[in-house]
Amino acid sequence: MIKSNSLYSTKVFIYLCLLLSSLSVVRAESRTESATVKEEHVKPLKSKDKFSAYLFVYFTGNKIENEQIRFAVSNDGYSFYPLNNNQPVISSAKISSSGGVRDPHILRSDDGKSFYMVATDMASSEGWSSNRAMVLMKSNDLINWTSSIINIQQKYKGQENLNRVWAPQTIYDAKAGKYMVYWSMKHGNNPDSIYYAYANADFSDLEGSPKYLFSPKSGEYCIDGDIIIKDSLYHIFYKTGRKGAAGIKLATTNDLTSGNWTEYNKFLQSTKDDVEGSGIFKLNNSEEYILMYDLYHRGKFQFTKSSDMQNFTVVDSAVKINFHPRHGTIMPITRTELKTLIKKWGQPEGLAKLGNNPALDGYYADPEVLYSQKTRKYYIYPTSDGFTNWEGTYFKAFSSKNLTDWKDEGIILDLLKDVSWAKRNAWAPCIVEKKINGKYKYFYYFTAAQKIGVAISENPTGPFVDLGKPLIDSRPEGINRGQVIDQDVFTDPVTNKSYLYWGNGFMAGAELNEDMTSIKQETTTILKPGKTFREGTYVFYRKGIYYFLWSENDTRSVDYRVRYGTSKSPLGSIQLVENNLVIAKNIEQEIYGTGHNSILQIPGKDEWFIVYHRFSYPDGINMGRAAGFNREVCIDKLEFNADGTIKQVIPTHKGINPLK
């Protein structure tokens, strides 16, 4: 009870600090022009992949039926649950020459699009010095794998006295621009040493002869090497020693193939049991690392934690693994990848079931949702988030048939390549589908460098062609504060006329000309939604009512939220209703910063959804102001009262069920 109360008090303290911080900036511009100008020439940071789970790849024992690749998954990096009821997910008989594989190692490609797995091609029943081969595998989805067998003795000359090939692993060598496969080999009576060769482009073979990579200066054997890079320094964890005095040691270098390694003499394991097969991985949303190693006589792993990769603390009390894995590796994965694995292999017993929020996997914000009559699919067009100070430069699109399974359609507009008049601050897009002369066209409005542009395509996923100049590049007459951002496009179903709305600190609206690439200047109107308006206008129509939604407070605030008013026309006066919150934070579920939304009506039905962003969960609440540019997109149901007023939405982690 004491621990529980302490944890609750800590969360309350953090929340109050964030609230006070956010209140201090409510009157400031959420993304000030002065800050943007100052940072104009700063190179944007690469957006981070949002890893939220872990994949454990392992085998289970020394019988041929156990020398098979198995998968387990985890939400926290400590509690793992086997997929496929702890049965193999890849048949060794189909991928190996021996009928068995051991020591699997998995790596995500540098571009994030593929996965590489390598394993020892070995049946231990044939003896510990019986194998000469390894298996190389590649996948684009973690489900379907191509494979090839590399027999070192058969492939290369001068390997007549080769006794064994053990525990291959892979790392991307940025200097060489290739994937390095490294493994231990023993020749004759010499001790095992670690060698390497580079894989070919499709990861089906090795290029060039094996070269020496590392062995300890002591001259003792060296096996089970595991390399990770931290702060531009390569760290290799390996097993070495002699009977009665063996274990895991560390060496480092700043040049992977130089042969110049700094060795650290101490053993790193915190046990008297025999160990092997160390593996190290970084915890998601943390600067800490887990070093695990196989206590092979006991059928379990020991987990230790470190922030400097040299001093490790045992964390076994936090670990929950109710099966018996052997030498394997753990790789962070995304939420979508976890869903893919569960869809293929089933929901593992004990693992909490996944909801559908966030809807998109990764850091995204300011979502615009569209149902396309042309393709009969749903689309989300977000701001690409995860960039310090909102310095993203490209836009992506996502498609779905059921609102829960979203396909990444890739970059549809890149400021650096496709836009001549702005190269920074790609924010808050919106889109409209129009049928013109029998053909569908898509008009995509976007913010860039605090100006509003428009690009055109014949498909909802592009390619989009920019107009070549901004559509709106200055504040409306009479407005001397705020920013020209956060546009929204709305087509009135009553008149079929289209309107554009925009503004931070002010709400402006104007009718678009028939070309959809210019506005009727004489219709420009400064709308007055009240003092709560900040940005992110969104307009929709239902049963004779025009609903105007907007975001209140700063996007970095826990109280970033959505309010609304109503009108009798697209540019008419906005009437505020009592209790006009549309969506706000959910403290019990630790959901914060719920704002900048769009609204979707299911075609032909009075069924509605709100698509919005929130602080990334669960780490966003601890990010301070950075939570405002590390956001994620969610979807929840939107409902109305009998009088047409909007019921306040309670944001959820569950999200919505797939549409049938």
PDB file of all heavy atoms in Angstrom, residues 374-402:
ATOM      1  N   LYS A 374     -13.893   7.138 -54.657  1.00  0.00           N
ATOM      2  CA  LYS A 374     -13.207   6.482 -55.771  1.00  0.00           C
ATOM      3  C   LYS A 374     -12.682   5.112 -55.383  1.00  0.00           C
ATOM      4  O   LYS A 374     -12.857   4.130 -56.106  1.00  0.00           O
ATOM      5  CB  LYS A 374     -12.051   7.356 -56.274  1.00  0.00           C
ATOM      6  CG  LYS A 374     -11.249   6.726 -57.409  1.00  0.00           C
ATOM      7  CD  LYS A 374     -10.133   7.637 -57.872  1.00  0.00           C
ATOM      8  CE  LYS A 374      -9.338   6.990 -58.999  1.00  0.00           C
ATOM      9  NZ  LYS A 374      -8.249   7.883 -59.504  1.00  0.00           N
ATOM     10  N   THR A 375     -12.034   5.007 -54.237  1.00  0.00           N
ATOM     11  CA  THR A 375     -11.382   3.755 -53.845  1.00  0.00           C
ATOM     12  C   THR A 375     -12.169   2.952 -52.824  1.00  0.00           C
ATOM     13  O   THR A 375     -11.827   1.805 -52.563  1.00  0.00           O
ATOM     14  CB  THR A 375      -9.987   4.044 -53.258  1.00  0.00           C
ATOM     15  OG1 THR A 375     -10.139   4.772 -52.033  1.00  0.00           O
ATOM     16  CG2 THR A 375      -9.130   4.853 -54.230  1.00  0.00           C
ATOM     17  N   ARG A 376     -13.212   3.583 -52.219  1.00  0.00           N
ATOM     18  CA  ARG A 376     -13.984   2.939 -51.151  1.00  0.00           C
ATOM     19  C   ARG A 376     -13.099   2.571 -49.961  1.00  0.00           C
ATOM     20  O   ARG A 376     -13.278   1.545 -49.322  1.00  0.00           O
ATOM     21  CB  ARG A 376     -14.728   1.699 -51.668  1.00  0.00           C
ATOM     22  CG  ARG A 376     -15.717   1.998 -52.785  1.00  0.00           C
ATOM     23  CD  ARG A 376     -16.891   2.828 -52.248  1.00  0.00           C
ATOM     24  NE  ARG A 376     -18.007   2.876 -53.177  1.00  0.00           N
ATOM     25  CZ  ARG A 376     -18.221   3.821 -54.084  1.00  0.00           C
ATOM     26  NH1 ARG A 376     -17.346   4.825 -54.201  1.00  0.00           N
ATOM     27  NH2 ARG A 376     -19.274   3.803 -54.875  1.00  0.00           N
ATOM     28  N   LYS A 377     -12.140   3.429 -49.691  1.00  0.00           N
ATOM     29  CA  LYS A 377     -11.259   3.245 -48.547  1.00  0.00           C
ATOM     30  C   LYS A 377     -11.249   4.511 -47.699  1.00  0.00           C
ATOM     31  O   LYS A 377     -11.619   5.599 -48.150  1.00  0.00           O
ATOM     32  CB  LYS A 377      -9.820   2.950 -48.999  1.00  0.00           C
ATOM     33  CG  LYS A 377      -9.610   1.603 -49.654  1.00  0.00           C
ATOM     34  CD  LYS A 377      -8.133   1.437 -50.012  1.00  0.00           C
ATOM     35  CE  LYS A 377      -7.854   0.117 -50.692  1.00  0.00           C
ATOM     36  NZ  LYS A 377      -6.425  -0.040 -51.056  1.00  0.00           N
ATOM     37  N   TYR A 378     -10.773   4.352 -46.453  1.00  0.00           N
ATOM     38  CA  TYR A 378     -10.579   5.474 -45.544  1.00  0.00           C
ATOM     39  C   TYR A 378      -9.105   5.861 -45.565  1.00  0.00           C
ATOM     40  O   TYR A 378      -8.215   5.021 -45.712  1.00  0.00           O
ATOM     41  CB  TYR A 378     -10.997   5.089 -44.128  1.00  0.00           C
ATOM     42  CG  TYR A 378     -12.456   4.686 -44.035  1.00  0.00           C
ATOM     43  CD1 TYR A 378     -12.832   3.345 -44.141  1.00  0.00           C
ATOM     44  CD2 TYR A 378     -13.453   5.636 -43.857  1.00  0.00           C
ATOM     45  CE1 TYR A 378     -14.168   2.968 -44.075  1.00  0.00           C
ATOM     46  CE2 TYR A 378     -14.796   5.272 -43.783  1.00  0.00           C
ATOM     47  CZ  TYR A 378     -15.141   3.926 -43.900  1.00  0.00           C
ATOM     48  OH  TYR A 378     -16.461   3.566 -43.842  1.00  0.00           O
ATOM     49  N   TYR A 379      -8.855   7.156 -45.375  1.00  0.00           N
ATOM     50  CA  TYR A 379      -7.478   7.652 -45.383  1.00  0.00           C
ATOM     51  C   TYR A 379      -7.271   8.604 -44.210  1.00  0.00           C
ATOM     52  O   TYR A 379      -8.179   9.350 -43.824  1.00  0.00           O
ATOM     53  CB  TYR A 379      -7.175   8.395 -46.691  1.00  0.00           C
ATOM     54  CG  TYR A 379      -7.215   7.488 -47.901  1.00  0.00           C
ATOM     55  CD1 TYR A 379      -8.415   7.267 -48.576  1.00  0.00           C
ATOM     56  CD2 TYR A 379      -6.073   6.835 -48.351  1.00  0.00           C
ATOM     57  CE1 TYR A 379      -8.469   6.418 -49.671  1.00  0.00           C
ATOM     58  CE2 TYR A 379      -6.114   5.990 -49.455  1.00  0.00           C
ATOM     59  CZ  TYR A 379      -7.322   5.780 -50.103  1.00  0.00           C
ATOM     60  OH  TYR A 379      -7.374   4.936 -51.184  1.00  0.00           O
ATOM     61  N   ILE A 380      -6.069   8.563 -43.651  1.00  0.00           N
ATOM     62  CA  ILE A 380      -5.649   9.547 -42.659  1.00  0.00           C
ATOM     63  C   ILE A 380      -4.413  10.256 -43.196  1.00  0.00           C
ATOM     64  O   ILE A 380      -3.457   9.616 -43.657  1.00  0.00           O
ATOM     65  CB  ILE A 380      -5.351   8.903 -41.290  1.00  0.00           C
ATOM     66  CG1 ILE A 380      -6.657   8.445 -40.625  1.00  0.00           C
ATOM     67  CG2 ILE A 380      -4.631   9.896 -40.374  1.00  0.00           C
ATOM     68  CD1 ILE A 380      -6.455   7.772 -39.278  1.00  0.00           C
ATOM     69  N   TYR A 381      -4.454  11.587 -43.117  1.00  0.00           N
ATOM     70  CA  TYR A 381      -3.341  12.444 -43.547  1.00  0.00           C
ATOM     71  C   TYR A 381      -2.871  13.226 -42.325  1.00  0.00           C
ATOM     72  O   TYR A 381      -3.539  14.172 -41.901  1.00  0.00           O
ATOM     73  CB  TYR A 381      -3.793  13.397 -44.644  1.00  0.00           C
ATOM     74  CG  TYR A 381      -4.380  12.705 -45.857  1.00  0.00           C
ATOM     75  CD1 TYR A 381      -5.734  12.368 -45.907  1.00  0.00           C
ATOM     76  CD2 TYR A 381      -3.584  12.380 -46.941  1.00  0.00           C
ATOM     77  CE1 TYR A 381      -6.275  11.722 -47.010  1.00  0.00           C
ATOM     78  CE2 TYR A 381      -4.113  11.739 -48.063  1.00  0.00           C
ATOM     79  CZ  TYR A 381      -5.460  11.409 -48.082  1.00  0.00           C
ATOM     80  OH  TYR A 381      -5.992  10.774 -49.175  1.00  0.00           O
ATOM     81  N   PRO A 382      -1.747  12.845 -41.706  1.00  0.00           N
ATOM     82  CA  PRO A 382      -1.314  13.506 -40.482  1.00  0.00           C
ATOM     83  C   PRO A 382      -0.082  14.397 -40.702  1.00  0.00           C
ATOM     84  O   PRO A 382       0.567  14.375 -41.758  1.00  0.00           O
ATOM     85  CB  PRO A 382      -0.932  12.319 -39.602  1.00  0.00           C
ATOM     86  CG  PRO A 382      -0.321  11.352 -40.595  1.00  0.00           C
ATOM     87  CD  PRO A 382      -1.039  11.565 -41.914  1.00  0.00           C
ATOM     88  N   THR A 383       0.245  15.153 -39.681  1.00  0.00           N
ATOM     89  CA  THR A 383       1.573  15.752 -39.564  1.00  0.00           C
ATOM     90  C   THR A 383       2.545  14.657 -39.156  1.00  0.00           C
ATOM     91  O   THR A 383       2.247  13.866 -38.257  1.00  0.00           O
ATOM     92  CB  THR A 383       1.572  16.856 -38.490  1.00  0.00           C
ATOM     93  OG1 THR A 383       0.695  17.897 -38.889  1.00  0.00           O
ATOM     94  CG2 THR A 383       2.966  17.422 -38.278  1.00  0.00           C
ATOM     95  N   SER A 384       3.697  14.597 -39.790  1.00  0.00           N
ATOM     96  CA  SER A 384       4.740  13.647 -39.367  1.00  0.00           C
ATOM     97  C   SER A 384       5.408  14.221 -38.128  1.00  0.00           C
ATOM     98  O   SER A 384       6.059  15.266 -38.197  1.00  0.00           O
ATOM     99  CB  SER A 384       5.753  13.436 -40.491  1.00  0.00           C
ATOM    100  OG  SER A 384       5.130  12.842 -41.610  1.00  0.00           O
ATOM    101  N   ASP A 385       5.243  13.544 -36.997  1.00  0.00           N
ATOM    102  CA  ASP A 385       5.710  14.066 -35.715  1.00  0.00           C
ATOM    103  C   ASP A 385       6.986  13.357 -35.281  1.00  0.00           C
ATOM    104  O   ASP A 385       7.524  12.510 -35.994  1.00  0.00           O
ATOM    105  CB  ASP A 385       4.606  13.896 -34.673  1.00  0.00           C
ATOM    106  CG  ASP A 385       4.514  15.089 -33.742  1.00  0.00           C
ATOM    107  OD1 ASP A 385       4.894  16.200 -34.144  1.00  0.00           O
ATOM    108  OD2 ASP A 385       4.027  14.924 -32.609  1.00  0.00           O
ATOM    109  N   GLY A 386       7.460  13.709 -34.075  1.00  0.00           N
ATOM    110  CA  GLY A 386       8.692  13.124 -33.569  1.00  0.00           C
ATOM    111  C   GLY A 386       9.907  13.964 -33.892  1.00  0.00           C
ATOM    112  O   GLY A 386      11.032  13.555 -33.632  1.00  0.00           O
ATOM    113  N   PHE A 387       9.690  15.158 -34.455  1.00  0.00           N
ATOM    114  CA  PHE A 387      10.780  16.072 -34.771  1.00  0.00           C
ATOM    115  C   PHE A 387      10.821  17.185 -33.733  1.00  0.00           C
ATOM    116  O   PHE A 387       9.797  17.804 -33.432  1.00  0.00           O
ATOM    117  CB  PHE A 387      10.584  16.697 -36.156  1.00  0.00           C
ATOM    118  CG  PHE A 387      10.565  15.710 -37.282  1.00  0.00           C
ATOM    119  CD1 PHE A 387       9.367  15.212 -37.763  1.00  0.00           C
ATOM    120  CD2 PHE A 387      11.736  15.268 -37.859  1.00  0.00           C
ATOM    121  CE1 PHE A 387       9.328  14.308 -38.812  1.00  0.00           C
ATOM    122  CE2 PHE A 387      11.718  14.360 -38.907  1.00  0.00           C
ATOM    123  CZ  PHE A 387      10.521  13.878 -39.383  1.00  0.00           C
ATOM    124  N   THR A 388      12.009  17.459 -33.205  1.00  0.00           N
ATOM    125  CA  THR A 388      12.156  18.527 -32.233  1.00  0.00           C
ATOM    126  C   THR A 388      11.625  19.838 -32.799  1.00  0.00           C
ATOM    127  O   THR A 388      11.942  20.217 -33.927  1.00  0.00           O
ATOM    128  CB  THR A 388      13.631  18.677 -31.829  1.00  0.00           C
ATOM    129  OG1 THR A 388      14.073  17.455 -31.244  1.00  0.00           O
ATOM    130  CG2 THR A 388      13.812  19.807 -30.833  1.00  0.00           C
ATOM    131  N   ASN A 389      10.804  20.513 -32.010  1.00  0.00           N
ATOM    132  CA  ASN A 389      10.226  21.801 -32.400  1.00  0.00           C
ATOM    133  C   ASN A 389       9.462  21.746 -33.714  1.00  0.00           C
ATOM    134  O   ASN A 389       9.469  22.697 -34.490  1.00  0.00           O
ATOM    135  CB  ASN A 389      11.312  22.881 -32.452  1.00  0.00           C
ATOM    136  CG  ASN A 389      11.925  23.142 -31.091  1.00  0.00           C
ATOM    137  OD1 ASN A 389      11.237  23.111 -30.074  1.00  0.00           O
ATOM    138  ND2 ASN A 389      13.225  23.362 -31.058  1.00  0.00           N
ATOM    139  N   TRP A 390       8.814  20.635 -33.981  1.00  0.00           N
ATOM    140  CA  TRP A 390       7.918  20.487 -35.129  1.00  0.00           C
ATOM    141  C   TRP A 390       8.624  20.707 -36.465  1.00  0.00           C
ATOM    142  O   TRP A 390       8.039  21.216 -37.412  1.00  0.00           O
ATOM    143  CB  TRP A 390       6.720  21.442 -35.006  1.00  0.00           C
ATOM    144  CG  TRP A 390       6.018  21.367 -33.692  1.00  0.00           C
ATOM    145  CD1 TRP A 390       5.153  20.404 -33.269  1.00  0.00           C
ATOM    146  CD2 TRP A 390       6.124  22.299 -32.604  1.00  0.00           C
ATOM    147  NE1 TRP A 390       4.710  20.680 -32.002  1.00  0.00           N
ATOM    148  CE2 TRP A 390       5.289  21.828 -31.566  1.00  0.00           C
ATOM    149  CE3 TRP A 390       6.847  23.476 -32.424  1.00  0.00           C
ATOM    150  CZ2 TRP A 390       5.161  22.507 -30.359  1.00  0.00           C
ATOM    151  CZ3 TRP A 390       6.712  24.153 -31.210  1.00  0.00           C
ATOM    152  CH2 TRP A 390       5.881  23.661 -30.200  1.00  0.00           C
ATOM    153  N   GLU A 391       9.874  20.300 -36.575  1.00  0.00           N
ATOM    154  CA  GLU A 391      10.660  20.599 -37.773  1.00  0.00           C
ATOM    155  C   GLU A 391      10.551  19.520 -38.844  1.00  0.00           C
ATOM    156  O   GLU A 391      11.494  19.275 -39.596  1.00  0.00           O
ATOM    157  CB  GLU A 391      12.139  20.824 -37.407  1.00  0.00           C
ATOM    158  CG  GLU A 391      12.409  22.175 -36.781  1.00  0.00           C
ATOM    159  CD  GLU A 391      12.313  23.321 -37.780  1.00  0.00           C
ATOM    160  OE1 GLU A 391      12.315  23.054 -38.992  1.00  0.00           O
ATOM    161  OE2 GLU A 391      12.224  24.487 -37.339  1.00  0.00           O
ATOM    162  N   GLY A 392       9.422  18.844 -38.961  1.00  0.00           N
ATOM    163  CA  GLY A 392       9.224  17.867 -40.022  1.00  0.00           C
ATOM    164  C   GLY A 392       9.142  18.533 -41.386  1.00  0.00           C
ATOM    165  O   GLY A 392       8.761  19.701 -41.510  1.00  0.00           O
ATOM    166  N   THR A 393       9.458  17.776 -42.435  1.00  0.00           N
ATOM    167  CA  THR A 393       9.484  18.341 -43.788  1.00  0.00           C
ATOM    168  C   THR A 393       8.708  17.506 -44.803  1.00  0.00           C
ATOM    169  O   THR A 393       8.802  17.780 -45.999  1.00  0.00           O
ATOM    170  CB  THR A 393      10.939  18.484 -44.283  1.00  0.00           C
ATOM    171  OG1 THR A 393      11.572  17.197 -44.262  1.00  0.00           O
ATOM    172  CG2 THR A 393      11.722  19.456 -43.417  1.00  0.00           C
ATOM    173  N   TYR A 394       7.962  16.506 -44.364  1.00  0.00           N
ATOM    174  CA  TYR A 394       7.237  15.680 -45.319  1.00  0.00           C
ATOM    175  C   TYR A 394       5.890  15.245 -44.748  1.00  0.00           C
ATOM    176  O   TYR A 394       5.655  15.276 -43.546  1.00  0.00           O
ATOM    177  CB  TYR A 394       8.055  14.444 -45.701  1.00  0.00           C
ATOM    178  CG  TYR A 394       8.372  13.522 -44.541  1.00  0.00           C
ATOM    179  CD1 TYR A 394       7.460  12.561 -44.121  1.00  0.00           C
ATOM    180  CD2 TYR A 394       9.583  13.621 -43.856  1.00  0.00           C
ATOM    181  CE1 TYR A 394       7.733  11.722 -43.053  1.00  0.00           C
ATOM    182  CE2 TYR A 394       9.872  12.782 -42.787  1.00  0.00           C
ATOM    183  CZ  TYR A 394       8.940  11.841 -42.393  1.00  0.00           C
ATOM    184  OH  TYR A 394       9.219  11.018 -41.330  1.00  0.00           O
ATOM    185  N   PHE A 395       5.013  14.827 -45.663  1.00  0.00           N
ATOM    186  CA  PHE A 395       3.685  14.341 -45.304  1.00  0.00           C
ATOM    187  C   PHE A 395       3.504  12.912 -45.797  1.00  0.00           C
ATOM    188  O   PHE A 395       3.960  12.560 -46.888  1.00  0.00           O
ATOM    189  CB  PHE A 395       2.599  15.217 -45.939  1.00  0.00           C
ATOM    190  CG  PHE A 395       2.583  16.635 -45.451  1.00  0.00           C
ATOM    191  CD1 PHE A 395       3.157  17.648 -46.205  1.00  0.00           C
ATOM    192  CD2 PHE A 395       1.976  16.962 -44.247  1.00  0.00           C
ATOM    193  CE1 PHE A 395       3.128  18.964 -45.774  1.00  0.00           C
ATOM    194  CE2 PHE A 395       1.940  18.279 -43.803  1.00  0.00           C
ATOM    195  CZ  PHE A 395       2.519  19.291 -44.570  1.00  0.00           C
ATOM    196  N   LYS A 396       2.795  12.106 -45.008  1.00  0.00           N
ATOM    197  CA  LYS A 396       2.492  10.731 -45.382  1.00  0.00           C
ATOM    198  C   LYS A 396       0.974  10.522 -45.405  1.00  0.00           C
ATOM    199  O   LYS A 396       0.211  11.364 -44.920  1.00  0.00           O
ATOM    200  CB  LYS A 396       3.127   9.743 -44.393  1.00  0.00           C
ATOM    201  CG  LYS A 396       4.632   9.844 -44.314  1.00  0.00           C
ATOM    202  CD  LYS A 396       5.219   8.860 -43.324  1.00  0.00           C
ATOM    203  CE  LYS A 396       5.320   7.478 -43.901  1.00  0.00           C
ATOM    204  NZ  LYS A 396       6.038   6.542 -43.031  1.00  0.00           N
ATOM    205  N   ALA A 397       0.561   9.389 -45.961  1.00  0.00           N
ATOM    206  CA  ALA A 397      -0.851   9.004 -45.964  1.00  0.00           C
ATOM    207  C   ALA A 397      -0.965   7.563 -45.504  1.00  0.00           C
ATOM    208  O   ALA A 397      -0.047   6.754 -45.698  1.00  0.00           O
ATOM    209  CB  ALA A 397      -1.453   9.161 -47.357  1.00  0.00           C
ATOM    210  N   PHE A 398      -2.110   7.234 -44.896  1.00  0.00           N
ATOM    211  CA  PHE A 398      -2.398   5.887 -44.430  1.00  0.00           C
ATOM    212  C   PHE A 398      -3.789   5.502 -44.919  1.00  0.00           C
ATOM    213  O   PHE A 398      -4.704   6.317 -44.913  1.00  0.00           O
ATOM    214  CB  PHE A 398      -2.340   5.817 -42.903  1.00  0.00           C
ATOM    215  CG  PHE A 398      -0.982   6.138 -42.341  1.00  0.00           C
ATOM    216  CD1 PHE A 398      -0.585   7.453 -42.168  1.00  0.00           C
ATOM    217  CD2 PHE A 398      -0.102   5.122 -42.004  1.00  0.00           C
ATOM    218  CE1 PHE A 398       0.670   7.758 -41.662  1.00  0.00           C
ATOM    219  CE2 PHE A 398       1.158   5.411 -41.496  1.00  0.00           C
ATOM    220  CZ  PHE A 398       1.540   6.734 -41.325  1.00  0.00           C
ATOM    221  N   SER A 399      -3.948   4.245 -45.337  1.00  0.00           N
ATOM    222  CA  SER A 399      -5.233   3.784 -45.859  1.00  0.00           C
ATOM    223  C   SER A 399      -5.740   2.590 -45.058  1.00  0.00           C
ATOM    224  O   SER A 399      -4.968   1.837 -44.468  1.00  0.00           O
ATOM    225  CB  SER A 399      -5.107   3.395 -47.333  1.00  0.00           C
ATOM    226  OG  SER A 399      -4.272   2.259 -47.481  1.00  0.00           O
ATOM    227  N   SER A 400      -7.086   2.426 -45.065  1.00  0.00           N
ATOM    228  CA  SER A 400      -7.703   1.330 -44.329  1.00  0.00           C
ATOM    229  C   SER A 400      -9.067   1.022 -44.922  1.00  0.00           C
ATOM    230  O   SER A 400      -9.747   1.909 -45.445  1.00  0.00           O
ATOM    231  CB  SER A 400      -7.855   1.702 -42.851  1.00  0.00           C
ATOM    232  OG  SER A 400      -8.542   0.691 -42.139  1.00  0.00           O
ATOM    233  N   LYS A 401      -9.466  -0.237 -44.812  1.00  0.00           N
ATOM    234  CA  LYS A 401     -10.811  -0.631 -45.219  1.00  0.00           C
ATOM    235  C   LYS A 401     -11.758  -0.731 -44.024  1.00  0.00           C
ATOM    236  O   LYS A 401     -12.972  -0.805 -44.208  1.00  0.00           O
ATOM    237  CB  LYS A 401     -10.757  -1.975 -45.946  1.00  0.00           C
ATOM    238  CG  LYS A 401     -10.023  -1.934 -47.284  1.00  0.00           C
ATOM    239  CD  LYS A 401     -10.030  -3.293 -47.957  1.00  0.00           C
ATOM    240  CE  LYS A 401      -9.305  -3.256 -49.294  1.00  0.00           C
ATOM    241  NZ  LYS A 401      -9.292  -4.593 -49.964  1.00  0.00           N
ATOM    242  N   ASN A 402     -11.177  -0.743 -42.809  1.00  0.00           N
ATOM    243  CA  ASN A 402     -12.028  -0.978 -41.632  1.00  0.00           C
ATOM    244  C   ASN A 402     -11.773  -0.021 -40.470  1.00  0.00           C
ATOM    245  O   ASN A 402     -12.294  -0.211 -39.375  1.00  0.00           O
ATOM    246  CB  ASN A 402     -11.858  -2.417 -41.149  1.00  0.00           C
ATOM    247  CG  ASN A 402     -10.431  -2.719 -40.708  1.00  0.00           C
ATOM    248  OD1 ASN A 402      -9.570  -1.838 -40.658  1.00  0.00           O
ATOM    249  ND2 ASN A 402     -10.176  -3.977 -40.386  1.00  0.00           N
TER     250      ASN A 402
END
